[in-house]
Amino acid sequence: MKDQYHFPLENFITKERFDRIKAFAKDKETPCLIIDLDIIRKNYEDLRKNLPFAKIFYAVKANPDDAVVSLLRDLGSNFDVATRYELDQLLRLGISPDRMSFGNTIKKEKDIAYFYEKGVRLYVTDSITDLDKLSRAAPGSKVFFRLLTEGLGADWPLSKKFGSHPDLARQLIKTAVRFGLEPYGISFHPGSQQRDVGQWSTALTTVSQLFTWARDDLKVNLKMINMGGGFPANYIEPTDSLAQYADDIKRFLDNGFKNDWPEEIIIEPGRSMAGDSGVIVSEIINIAKKSVHERYPWVFLDVGKFGGLIETLDEAIKYPIYFEGEGPAVDVILAGPTCDSMDILYEKTTYMMPESARIGDRVYILTTGAYTQSYSSIYFNGFPPLKSYILK
Ligand SMILES: *Cc1c(COP(=O)(O)O)cnc(C)c1O
């Protein structure tokens, strides 16, 4: 197996696994996503091993495939649930509500009531108005308070829209007591594909200050820290190892809490759990230039921004892409198949393609197990949503 020009393939997938995926996909129509559950099992075990003190709440949105959720159910995971639709799915799969949190800060009161009725008792919040809904629709429940983070250093930041400044968090904790809810902990999300582990340090410092303030000023003992997702999958931009993240995070917890770590520490991995498990198999529809002397040829694939690769927005996530063929390479612009001109994958970042690649060849987009199928549009230009298969 040759390496692609810009990355050693073995950094992303073993030859044995890649060959199995290619063979499995041989008779499948493209585009399709192939998920290897063994990788999800391994990622779960790696997270357990490296962060043994943390309870895992898998962020369902990353890859909600029944087979993925069922595997994580059997491995003992808990679940960060964002909507009543995800809740229904998890209940259908026999997951008990005490293994779930309602982790979306944006929720209708009637949906909170639905979660409560089904038995969920752990809720995130970041506003007074949301607390108000919780006090009516989920009386007495545990609430945790999400902090605003900047998402600096993250390839997919998740900043601004979620969380509250610490000054508002203080008000929320007080209000929760008044509303008869149980102030349970503090959460943050450092930004998805967070390549700067220092972002956990910044957030954990604020968290420890809030714990101290709640205890001293309010006589409220917060019990839980939810450190969010943000752990990396393997894309082209390199990251530290999970072991390095874990070492640093332990040190930050020691700095903030000395020997008195909170009772419960939660992580909510999505990308780091599912990302590496998937390969999108695609086909080259056309290779063409826009003008006689244009420098880079355009390569149009049968999958693009609307077919599951929306995280190429602003070229934020750079997937490793493997072309068949050998020999000298050319830089190319990669684009998707739809009639929307924003459906370009990579233009500023040029990818290298073997000169021998031809229309009709297969192309393999690696590390596409998270935030792909669940993001794919339905029937834009008539294209059906990205089909996925579990590798057998
Ligand atoms: C999306 C999301 C996650 C998962 O984040 P990753 O970076 O994919 O691990 C975790 N927690 C919350 C609240 C989320 O919205």
Side-chain angles (χ1 to χ4, degrees):
M1 182 173 61
K2 75 190 167 54
D3 284 342
Q4 285 293 301
Y5 308 96
H6 46 295
F7 62 87
L9 192 60
E10 295 268 350
N11 284 4
F12 301 95
I13 194 165
T14 64
K15 171 169 169 43
E16 183 262 329
R17 242 175 242 291
F18 192 42
D19 287 346
R20 260 177 70 206
I21 286 175
K22 285 204 225 178
F24 177 80
K26 211 174 181 81
D27 60 347
K28 310 275 185 296
E29 264 203 57
T30 65
C32 64
L33 169 64
I34 315 290
I35 296 288
D36 185 344
L37 291 180
D38 287 347
I39 299 290
I40 298 202
R41 183 178 295 107
K42 178 181 173 304
N43 288 344
Y44 182 84
E45 281 159 7
D46 281 353
L47 283 159
R48 291 288 304 144
K49 198 174 69 204
N50 284 288
L51 296 153
F53 50 85
K55 233 170 126 171
I56 295 177
F57 280 67
Y58 172 60
V60 176
K61 74 173 188 289
N63 186 328
D65 193 296
D66 272 0
V68 171
V69 172
S70 302
L71 171 66
L72 289 167
R73 172 199 65 203
D74 296 344
L75 290 171
S77 185
N78 303 282
F79 298 88
D80 167 33
V81 186
T83 63
R84 59 180 297 163
Y85 311 105
E86 287 182 355
L87 171 62
D88 283 340
Q89 179 198 4
L90 269 54
L91 292 172
R92 171 170 58 75
L93 296 174
I95 296 165
S96 95
D98 60 4
R99 292 168 69 181
M100 303 179 199
S101 68
F102 194 172
N104 191 346
T105 54
I106 306 153
K107 39 198 171 332
K108 295 179 181 173
E109 184 165 335
K110 67 176 183 199
D111 291 345
I112 299 172
Y114 187 75
F115 272 71
Y116 189 78
E117 180 203 318
K118 298 294 179 192
V120 177
R121 294 293 181 269
L122 183 59
Y123 298 84
V124 73
T125 194
D126 66 354
S127 68
I128 299 276
T129 38
D130 182 65
L131 261 185
D132 198 35
K133 295 180 204 172
L134 286 167
S135 72
R136 283 190 299 267
S141 292
K142 292 175 175 165
V143 288
F144 57 97
F145 306 90
R146 180 157 172 184
L147 293 177
L148 201 59
T149 54
E150 300 206 34
L152 295 174
D155 287 335
W156 198 258
L158 300 175
S159 53
K160 255 186 347 198
K161 181 170 168 186
F162 311 102
S164 62
H165 187 274
D167 61 3
L168 177 57
R170 285 196 181 85
Q171 244 189 52
L172 293 172
I173 300 170
K174 272 196 224 168
T175 311
V177 175
R178 195 154 55 74
F179 282 178
L181 294 159
E182 183 185 342
Y184 189 62
I186 308 286
S187 77
F188 61 87
H189 193 303
S192 197
Q193 190 68 8
Q194 178 51 269
R195 287 187 284 128
D196 172 17
V197 67
Q199 296 300 316
W200 274 270
S201 170
T202 313
L204 283 169
T205 303
T206 312
V207 172
S208 74
Q209 288 162 352
L210 282 167
F211 267 65
T212 307
W213 172 84
R215 191 189 58 221
D216 295 350
D217 284 28
L218 223 55
K219 310 295 171 232
V220 166
N221 272 320
L222 295 172
K223 298 191 181 68
M224 180 271 268
I225 305 180
N226 178 338
M227 301 194 292
F231 302 98
N234 284 314
Y235 302 113
I236 290 203
E237 300 277 357
T239 64
D240 283 334
S241 65
L242 182 61
Q244 186 65 53
Y245 278 68
D247 275 356
D248 287 343
I249 286 171
K250 275 180 256 181
R251 193 157 41 77
F252 303 149
L253 281 162
D254 279 335
N255 289 344
F257 294 90
K258 308 292 179 274
N259 301 323
D260 196 22
W261 286 21
E263 269 170 44
E264 194 170 330
I265 293 176
I266 285 176
I267 54 171
E268 296 175 328
R271 190 183 299 281
S272 62
M273 192 78 86
D276 299 352
S277 73
V279 174
I280 288 178
V281 185
S282 172
E283 181 184 306
I284 299 177
I285 298 179
N286 203 12
I287 305 174
K289 289 193 175 184
K290 299 280 144 206
S291 65
V292 175
H293 297 296
E294 186 174 36
R295 175 138 177 233
Y296 302 118
W298 288 65
V299 174
F300 299 95
L301 304 179
D302 62 2
V303 65
K305 279 203 158 56
F306 299 95
L309 299 177
I310 194 72
E311 287 197 324
T312 58
L313 265 176
D314 292 331
E315 309 191 12
I317 298 292
K318 294 186 180 71
Y319 296 105
I321 300 181
Y322 184 92
F323 296 89
E324 298 288 12
E326 318 232 346
V330 281
D331 285 323
V332 298
I333 296 168
L334 286 170
T338 66
C339 303
D340 188 312
S341 59
M342 69 101 71
D343 190 8
I344 296 170
L345 301 174
Y346 301 106
E347 194 178 7
K348 292 196 283 289
T349 317
T350 44
Y351 274 66
M352 288 173 95
M353 182 184 81
E355 256 171 13
S356 61
R358 291 290 173 267
I359 292 169
D361 282 1
R362 287 196 160 190
V363 173
Y364 299 88
I365 308 175
L366 309 180
T367 318
T368 43
Y371 304 119
T372 51
Q373 196 206 16
S374 57
Y375 264 143
S376 76
S377 76
I378 48 165
Y379 306 125
F380 177 47
N381 272 163
F383 288 111
L386 183 62
K387 199 163 166 52
S388 82
Y389 298 91
I390 300 299
L391 179 64
K392 296 271 165 33

